[in-house]
Structure formats: structure tokens, C-alpha cells
């Protein structure tokens, strides 16, 4: 089996001379604003050092876990009690089998940066050498969590935090001065405030909310007040954006008195009807949207995931372990209704919409135009290709849909959406794809042969648009 590789070259994914010039001159050195990820604030604040690459690269990475299962790897070597070395060897043996899956590109981009491994592909024969090389590097100060963020020129990292979180690690990191390069900012993720299907789990969370907000929650009004207190608490800690993981938008008609009755029913431990669940979710999405608007936040809607489909594995190893899929929910009608409900009262915050089903690309790209109002450039954004679409084809199609139905120059660009500190080459991947599209069209005569004009747009999309939009 070959032990060398030349496919991750300086001009990887850059098919023309102009594309290469755009990337290396205008995109490559731009700092990163990672406005949505799932990194651990604790691991950032404590400047965690990983003993080996498995701990920093395979742990929690459900993308790799899915591929390993598909290739016949036993669960013991994925999420089980095998050693870190055994798990790495199992992944190394899997890598040659994932040609044309984005994991093949990601794997070798991530070995290249920050580890500098560009002369070998990962496989069973090269695994031991790469294991030792990365172990030696991970022992150095520049390969702690903070060191990696600094190496990758991450200016802002936004974690994903429950409203009941104390944000103690954000405080700890800020008070320590951080790494001198990266600011860590919380993002408000109130999904559990809407998760009323499981009444016992919801009530347990309400108790945590009451404690965090230092108040008694005995009514819907008190519940909203407690959430508002936590919203303000997050704002005081620098938070300027929220995030919602939703199957679809919720915009049922309801009255305040109906929601008050529904909440009383929840407090009594009674299960809700499907109609009551939809009304409660609709009310909460509206109220949370109003809070975001009042404080000048950005709200993000991640729409279309059908989660935890394998009940046996859910019972065995829990959620977020690689058993989610693309859903086929109705998106357009409820999303338009929700946004119009907020816009009617001039309470529609800056909003980023993400779809998981590729059939909805043009739907989203068209939807954002309905609620632009000239108050903010790109007020409503069609977000970067997400999850299953976070690959060359998915990114290209998202950029094409946005270009055709929106204004590409106003796009706030890429994010990692990752639990791994080694995922930052995803920004490089996106920037290379963007530059390849633009450079190719310049050479085809479809765009002006004006490198400063197009290069300026590349810099805006890579960095400056996000910096202005979020106003951190």
C-alpha cells in the first residue's frame, strides 16, 4: 500500500491559476471567526493537553464512527473499551476505504494542519509512524487546546451552551487572558425549553432553570421570566447569538391563555397532546425570538435533522453518537409564518437559516429574501452547508443556490459545527472551494478578470462579513 501522498498540495482543490491566486493572496491568511461549534469550554479554559490523537480527534466524532461501523469495525473499537491506540489503528485501517467520502479529505487536511503531515496518507502501514509523530507534537505547548486555536488563527470561537450553564469556564478563560489570540464567547441553545415530549425530563430541566435564575417557576409567566434572566446573564457574558436545533420551524396559532394552561398541565406532570406540543413550541420560538431581537442578537435555526433513529444504540451509548439522518419535514410554510409573525411587530432579529435536506437549498436561498429590510447588510442569511452537506458537493451547491437567488457577497461564511479542536481545516476547505468556483468563472469569462474586485469579495466572505454581522 502506498505510503506517500501528493494530493494535499498547495493547490489542492484549486483548478486554475486564478483560483490559486485568489486563495493564497486573499483567503489563506484570513483569521477565523468560528461562530458555531460544540467545543468544550472546560477544555479551552483548562488548556487541555491530549495524550494522543485519538483523544483529540476520534473521541466524539460521529462522522468517523459511522464510517467505521459501515466498514465492519466492532463497536468496542469505536466507542467501547478498546485502548486509544487500538481505536486509532482501527480508524487508520478504515481510511483507505472511505475514498470519495469527505472524511478522506478532512482526515488528511487535519493531519497536514496543524501536524504538518503531508507526505503520507493514513493507513495500516503508516499508522504507527503517524501515531508517534502526533504524540510527540501533542506534548508541545503549541498543541494544547489553546495552542491549537492560536495556531489555526481562530479569533472568535462561539461554544454552544444550555441556558442553565453557569458559564464558569468562560469566566475562567477570560480572567486568565486566554491564549492572547482567541476570544471564547457563549451561544444560547434553549432547545430543552421546548422539549416537552418527555414531561419528566422537561420538569427536571425547569428545576435547573429555576435554580440558575434564582427564582420560583410556578407559571408560564414565571418560566418566561426565568429564561429572560438567563438570556440577560448570557448577554452580560458577551453572548450575541442563539441557536436552535429543530426538526422544522413551529408557527401554530395560539393564545397566551392557551399556553398558560398547557404549562400548568406540564407542571402537574401530565403528557401533552400533539397539538398542545406544537402550540407550546410555537409560543417559545416566538418569545425567544423577541428576546434575541431586543438584545440585538443573531438567531440561528438548524432545521431538518431526524435524530436518534436507532433505539437499540440510543439505549446502549446515548445520543449524538452517529445515528441521526436527514429528515423530510415541511419547512417553507411554518418558517415563513414564524418569521412573518416576528417581522410584523418589527421583532425579527438577524437570522441564519441552515437546512439538512439538500432538496431545501433553493427554498432557503429564496426564503431569506422575503425578510431583508435594508437595516443590516445580509440581515437574513442562508447558512453554510451543514452536517451531511458539509462537503465539497454540498458546499458548492449551497454557494450556487445563494449566488443564484441571493447575494453571495454578503455571506458570513464558514463555521466548524464540530466537537474537535482539529476541525479548523474545514474553513480552509470552504475557502479553497469558494476560490475555485470564482477563479474558474473568471477564467471562463463569466466574471470580470479583476483580481482585486473578486479577491476583495473572498476576504469579505472569509472573515470581514462575519466580523461586522455579529458585532462581537
Amino acid at each position: 500500500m502506498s505510503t506517500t501522498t501528493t494530493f494535499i498540495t498547495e493547490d489542492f482543490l484549486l483548478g486554475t491559476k486564478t483560483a490559486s491566486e485568489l486563495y493564497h493572496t486573499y483567503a489563506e491568511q484570513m483569521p477565523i471567526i468560528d461562530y458555531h461549534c460544540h467545543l468544550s469550554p472546560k477544555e479551552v479554559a483548562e488548556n487541555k493537553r491530549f495524550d494522543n490523537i485519538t483523544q483529540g480527534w476520534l473521541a466524539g466524532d460521529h462522522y468517523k464512527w459511522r464510517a467505521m461501523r459501515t466498514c465492519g469495525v466492532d463497536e468496542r473499537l469505536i466507542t467501547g473499551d478498546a485502548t486509544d491506540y487500538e481505536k486509532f489503528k482501527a480508524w487508520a485501517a478504515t481510511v483507505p476505504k472511505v475514498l470519495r467520502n469527505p472524511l478522506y479529505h478532512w482526515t488528511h487536511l487535519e493531519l497536514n494542519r496543524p501536524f504538518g503531515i503531508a507526505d503520507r496518507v493514513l493507513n495500516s502501514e503508516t499508522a504507527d509512524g503517524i501515531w508517534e509523530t502526533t504524540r510527540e507534537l501533542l506534548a508541545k505547548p503549541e498543541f494544547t487546546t489553546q495552542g491549537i486555536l492560536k495556531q489555526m488563527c481562530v479569533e472568535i470561537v462561539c461554544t454552544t451552551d444550555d441556558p442553565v450553564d453557569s458559564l464558569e469556564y468562560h469566566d475562567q478563560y477570560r480572567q486568565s487572558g486566554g491564549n492572547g489570540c482567541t476570544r471564547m464567547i457563549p451561544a444560547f441553545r434553549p432547545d430543552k425549553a421546548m422539549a416537552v415530549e418527555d414531561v419528566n425530563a422537561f420538569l427536571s430541566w425547569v428545576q435547573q432553570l429555576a435554580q440558575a435564575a434564582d427564582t420560583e417557576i410556578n407559571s408560564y409567566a414565571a418560566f418566561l421570566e426565568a429564561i429572560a434572566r438567563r438570556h440577560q446573564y448570557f448577554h452580560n457574558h458577551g453572548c450575541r447569538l442563539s441557536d436552535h436545533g429543530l426538526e422544522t420551524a413551529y408557527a401554530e396559532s395560539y393564545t397566551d391563555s392557551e399556553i398558560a394552561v398547557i404549562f400548568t398541565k406540564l407542571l402537574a406532570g401530565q403528557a401533552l397532546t400533539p397539538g398542545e406540543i406544537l402550540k407550546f413550541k410555537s409560543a417559545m420560538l416566538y418569545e425567544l425570538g423577541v428576546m434575541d431581537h431586543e438584545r440585538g442578537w443573531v438567531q440561528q435555526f438548524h432545521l431538518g435533522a431526524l435524530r436518534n433513529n436507532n433505539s437499540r444504540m440510543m439505549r446502549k451509548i446515548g445520543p449524538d453518537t452517529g445515528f441521526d439522518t436527514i429528515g423530510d419535514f415541511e419547512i417553507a410554510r411554518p418558517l415563513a409564518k414564524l418569521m412573518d409573525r416576528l417581522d410584523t411587530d418589527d421583532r425579527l432579529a438577524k437570522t441564519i437559516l441552515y437546512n439538512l435536506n439538500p432538496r431545501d437549498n433553493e427554498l432557503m436561498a429564496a426564503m431569506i429574501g422575503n425578510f431583508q429590510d435594508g437595516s443590516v447588510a445580509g440581515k437574513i442569511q442562508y447558512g453554510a452547508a451543514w452536517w451531511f452537506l458539509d462537503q465539497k458537493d454540498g458546499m458548492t451547491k449551497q454557494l450556487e443556490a445563494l449566488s443564484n437567488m441571493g447575494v453571495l457577497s454578503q455571506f458570513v461564511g464558514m463555521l466548524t459545527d464540530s466537537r474537535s479542536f482539529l476541525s479548523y481545516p474545514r474553513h480552509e476547505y470552504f475557502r479553497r472551494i469558494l476560490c475555485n468556483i470564482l477563479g474558474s468563472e473568471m477564467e471562463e469569462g463569466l466574471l470580470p478578470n479583476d483580481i482585486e474586485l473578486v479577491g476583495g469579495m473572498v476576504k469579505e466572505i472569509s472573515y470581514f462579513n462575519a466580523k461586522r454581522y455579529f458585532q462581537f
Side-chain angles (χ1 to χ4, degrees):
M1 188 178 293
S2 173
T3 60
T4 62
T5 178
T6 56
F7 85 102
I8 302 294
T9 64
E10 285 191 356
D11 285 339
F12 174 62
L13 293 176
L14 304 172
T16 64
K17 180 180 178 181
T18 306
S20 177
E21 184 176 0
L22 283 173
Y23 176 72
H24 293 298
T25 303
Y26 295 94
E28 187 173 18
Q29 301 304 320
M30 287 289 100
I32 288 172
I33 293 179
D34 194 20
Y35 55 89
H36 175 68
C37 76
H38 297 276
L39 295 183
S40 163
K42 182 176 188 291
E43 291 181 351
V44 175
E46 296 181 347
N47 202 19
K48 180 174 180 176
R49 183 183 303 282
F50 300 106
D51 293 332
N52 56 63
I53 194 170
T54 298
Q55 294 178 11
W57 203 39
L58 298 180
D61 192 339
H62 54 80
Y63 291 87
K64 294 183 177 73
W65 294 352
R66 284 170 68 96
M68 293 170 77
R69 294 180 187 120
T70 301
C71 293
V73 177
D74 187 85
E75 194 67 31
R76 174 180 171 271
L77 295 165
I78 303 172
T79 63
D81 61 2
T83 66
D84 289 345
Y85 175 72
E86 289 173 320
K87 290 177 179 179
F88 177 75
K89 289 282 283 188
W91 171 241
T94 302
V95 169
K97 302 172 184 177
V98 299
L99 289 168
R100 295 206 80 240
N101 185 286
L103 282 165
Y104 199 79
H105 284 172
W106 292 350
T107 290
H108 293 98
L109 281 169
E110 290 163 7
L111 288 175
N112 186 24
R113 297 182 67 226
F115 295 111
I117 299 172
D119 62 339
R120 289 163 282 176
V121 293
L122 179 59
N123 55 45
S124 294
E125 294 179 16
T126 63
D128 285 340
I130 290 174
W131 173 265
E132 288 304 324
T133 296
T134 54
R135 278 224 311 178
E136 291 173 6
L137 289 171
L138 287 167
K140 296 182 177 182
E142 60 267 33
F143 285 87
T144 61
T145 55
Q146 293 181 24
I148 291 169
L149 290 170
K150 188 171 185 177
Q151 278 197 69
M152 301 306 294
C153 202
V154 180
E155 183 178 296
I156 302 284
V157 57
C158 293
T159 58
T160 301
D161 307 278
D162 191 284
V164 304
D165 196 293
S166 69
L167 305 182
E168 62 182 296
Y169 295 109
H170 291 82
D171 288 340
Q172 179 180 325
Y173 179 74
R174 184 176 63 254
Q175 291 165 7
S176 72
N179 64 10
C181 172
T182 306
R183 289 178 61 198
M184 180 169 67
I185 296 172
F188 195 74
R189 179 76 173 240
D191 290 1
K192 291 181 180 179
M194 297 170 53
V196 292
E197 292 87 350
D198 184 333
V199 178
N200 290 333
F202 176 74
L203 290 177
S204 176
W205 185 81
V206 170
Q207 290 178 352
Q208 295 176 59
L209 175 65
Q211 183 175 2
D214 192 23
T215 189
E216 182 181 0
I217 299 177
N218 53 15
S219 67
Y220 178 59
F223 179 62
L224 286 181
E225 173 60 26
I227 292 175
R229 288 189 185 187
R230 298 306 296 170
H231 201 276
Q232 182 65 58
Y233 181 83
F234 271 60
H235 188 83
N236 294 345
H237 281 73
C239 179
R240 294 296 181 268
L241 70 169
S242 67
D243 181 58
H244 304 267
L246 306 167
E247 291 183 342
T248 185
Y250 301 101
E252 297 294 309
S253 298
Y254 63 87
T255 65
D256 291 341
S257 60
E258 284 181 303
I259 305 304
V261 170
I262 289 170
F263 192 78
T264 299
K265 189 174 178 180
L266 285 167
L267 288 179
Q270 299 177 34
L272 302 183
T273 67
E276 289 172 331
I277 290 172
L278 289 176
K279 287 189 175 188
F280 188 81
K281 289 178 181 288
S282 300
M284 289 308 304
L285 264 188
Y286 175 80
E287 296 294 342
L288 290 162
V290 169
M291 292 180 200
D292 289 345
H293 179 267
E294 287 177 347
R295 293 195 173 92
W297 288 14
V298 176
Q299 59 183 358
Q300 301 176 89
F301 295 139
H302 285 84
L303 303 168
L306 186 62
R307 300 175 187 269
N308 304 316
N309 298 280
N310 189 321
S311 57
R312 177 176 62 85
M313 294 304 288
M314 175 68 176
R315 290 191 297 270
K316 184 177 180 181
I317 58 177
D320 302 320
T321 50
F323 301 96
D324 308 310
T325 194
I326 294 170
D328 58 351
F329 309 100
E330 181 187 12
I331 298 291
R333 194 183 309 274
L335 179 58
K337 187 175 179 181
L338 170 64
M339 295 178 75
D340 185 59
R341 181 176 287 169
L342 288 162
D343 185 73
T344 295
D345 297 328
D346 194 21
R347 289 177 163 180
L348 180 59
K350 289 182 286 188
T351 304
I352 306 178
L353 305 176
Y354 307 86
N355 61 290
L356 195 57
N357 194 322
R359 69 169 191 189
D360 297 325
N361 285 5
E362 284 74 16
L363 183 161
M364 290 296 201
M367 182 68 71
I368 65 173
N370 297 329
F371 298 99
Q372 308 288 13
D373 61 12
S375 63
V376 176
K379 176 180 177 179
I380 314 300
Q381 291 276 328
Y382 175 28
W386 171 46
W387 200 342
F388 291 105
L389 307 183
D390 183 10
Q391 25 78 4
K392 181 175 178 291
D393 182 63
M395 290 182 194
T396 299
K397 288 180 176 177
Q398 186 269 348
L399 290 168
E400 296 289 2
L402 178 56
S403 298
N404 288 330
M405 299 183 183
V407 181
L408 177 62
S409 66
Q410 304 306 302
F411 182 35
V412 294
M414 192 54 180
L415 53 118
T416 62
D417 189 32
S418 176
R419 291 169 173 80
S420 172
F421 288 85
L422 299 175
S423 291
Y424 282 98
R426 292 186 188 180
H427 284 260
E428 174 186 344
Y429 199 58
F430 166 81
R431 292 173 184 182
R432 286 177 179 272
I433 290 167
L434 172 67
C435 291
N436 188 58
I437 292 170
L438 297 173
S440 297
E441 293 192 350
M442 289 172 71
E443 295 203 2
E444 292 169 16
L446 297 174
L447 292 175
N449 187 23
D450 186 334
I451 197 73
E452 291 187 7
L453 172 67
V454 181
M457 185 171 78
V458 167
K459 291 174 75 171
E460 296 286 307
I461 294 170
S462 298
Y463 171 71
F464 288 109
N465 284 346
K467 191 172 183 67
R468 283 191 296 267
Y469 186 76
F470 293 104
Q471 297 182 336
F472 292 125

